[in-house]
Amino acid sequence: MPQRHPDDYENVPRPVVGIGNDYPSSFELAEHSHRRGQFLYAARGVVAVSTPFGAWVAPAERAVWIPAGTPHSVRMVGAVQTRSVLVASSASAALAERCRVVAVSPLLRQLLVEAAEVPAEYDERGRDGLVMDLLVAEICRAPVIPILVPFPRLPALAKRCHRFLENPRVGETIDDWSGDLAMNRRRFTRLFRRETGMSFSEWRQQACLSVALPRLAAGESVTAIALDLGYDAPGNFATMFKRVLGVPPSRYRQPSSESS
């Protein structure tokens, strides 16, 4: 499939436009934004989306909703095949105003694949128009998946969060962070929740998941990932993973990967 750049479709006189692209392993799209909202789905591989406000990871059967005007960069994990939908504000009133990861049902998946083949200036009253209408309806009802790593606006705290994502360790504590930032424990916990909307332990857990998911998709063993994150045993990591995402970490590994 030829590469399709979203900016080429900003002025298409249709409320919804489907596009599809293939990317090589580890390809990165530098920070950019679109006038339309983007529903980004990886039919193959994993996409990791970063914004000034947080990070979102979409492995198999997941997609990221990126509202219009949101600056974002995208990193491909493995060879990635995307099927995206660009949605004008006139058709996205029912969609969220913030980025989120949602589940992609079999029906929604097929609609995304089909939309990528629909001509940009399709007949809105014909079959293609019905496909696009149903696609938006399915996006609106897609369940939200709790994978979210919000970044604080306070520069010193944001820097500390980014440092953690570079080398996440589940054993890091409030006392470790408050000491680094020269704050007392009480002030730190209040500030962290105000800046991120999460407790420190919730954020730390989400950050560890956001790092683990691309590694799982790349075929790394559950044991290696768990130990790198600082878990005493793979079983403890697997228990946390299943509690949050509803499935064991092995569910996210490539079929060709060796068993852990």
Side-chain angles (χ1 to χ4, degrees):
M1 175 175 290
Q3 296 290 100
R4 293 183 175 183
H5 196 284
D7 289 349
D8 296 337
Y9 298 87
E10 295 280 22
N11 297 316
V12 171
R14 297 292 183 274
V16 185
V17 179
I19 61 175
N21 285 312
D22 295 341
Y23 298 98
S25 180
S26 302
F27 188 85
E28 295 191 21
L29 294 171
E31 187 174 277
H32 60 286
S33 64
H34 313 297
R35 292 205 303 269
R36 295 171 180 250
Q38 182 179 20
F39 189 75
L40 178 59
Y41 169 65
R44 184 180 70 220
V46 174
V47 292
V49 176
S50 295
T51 80
F53 317 109
W56 292 262
V57 178
E61 300 174 7
R62 304 288 184 261
V64 183
W65 166 247
I66 307 167
T70 302
H72 62 282
S73 59
V74 184
R75 179 170 56 88
M76 313 301 168
V77 181
V80 172
Q81 185 180 74
T82 64
R83 294 296 178 265
S84 300
V85 179
L86 303 172
V87 187
S89 57
S90 60
S92 62
L95 296 172
E97 296 181 357
R98 295 183 179 182
C99 291
R100 57 177 52 188
V101 175
V102 303
V104 175
S105 67
L107 173 58
L108 180 52
R109 184 186 311 113
Q110 288 304 119
L111 288 168
L112 288 164
V113 171
E114 186 65 29
E117 303 295 335
V118 169
E121 297 192 27
Y122 54 85
D123 180 0
E124 293 183 85
R125 297 184 179 182
R127 183 256 186 191
D128 290 342
L130 292 173
V131 168
M132 295 305 196
D133 288 344
L134 180 56
L135 175 55
V136 173
E138 286 299 301
I139 292 174
C140 289
R141 68 186 297 271
V144 177
I145 303 299
I147 303 176
L148 165 64
V149 187
F151 294 147
R153 294 183 180 274
L154 189 68
L157 186 55
K159 183 177 179 180
R160 187 63 181 84
C161 289
H162 282 283
R163 197 171 95 200
F164 181 84
L165 282 172
E166 292 172 0
N167 184 28
R169 304 289 295 178
V170 72
E172 290 193 16
T173 66
I174 290 175
D175 291 331
D176 293 331
W177 282 47
S178 60
D180 288 346
L181 296 168
M183 298 180 189
N184 63 49
R185 181 186 178 94
R186 185 175 181 182
R187 183 185 172 211
F188 173 82
T189 54
R190 287 182 174 178
L191 177 67
F192 196 92
R193 183 175 286 279
R194 187 182 73 206
E195 289 279 321
T196 67
M198 293 181 173
S199 70
F200 174 75
S201 61
E202 290 171 334
W203 187 93
R204 182 185 59 195
Q205 176 178 272
Q206 289 289 302
C208 287
L209 281 172
S210 75
V211 171
L213 285 169
R215 293 182 62 182
L216 287 166
E220 294 189 41
S221 75
V222 174
T223 298
I225 295 170
L227 295 178
D228 284 349
L229 292 175
Y231 283 88
D232 294 332
N236 295 336
F237 168 70
T239 298
M240 179 278 293
F241 193 102
K242 187 172 183 179
R243 183 179 70 250
V244 176
L245 297 180
V247 293
S250 57
R251 172 67 179 79
Y252 283 87
R253 299 185 68 216
Q254 291 182 348
S256 59
S257 303
E258 297 178 2
S259 300
S260 60

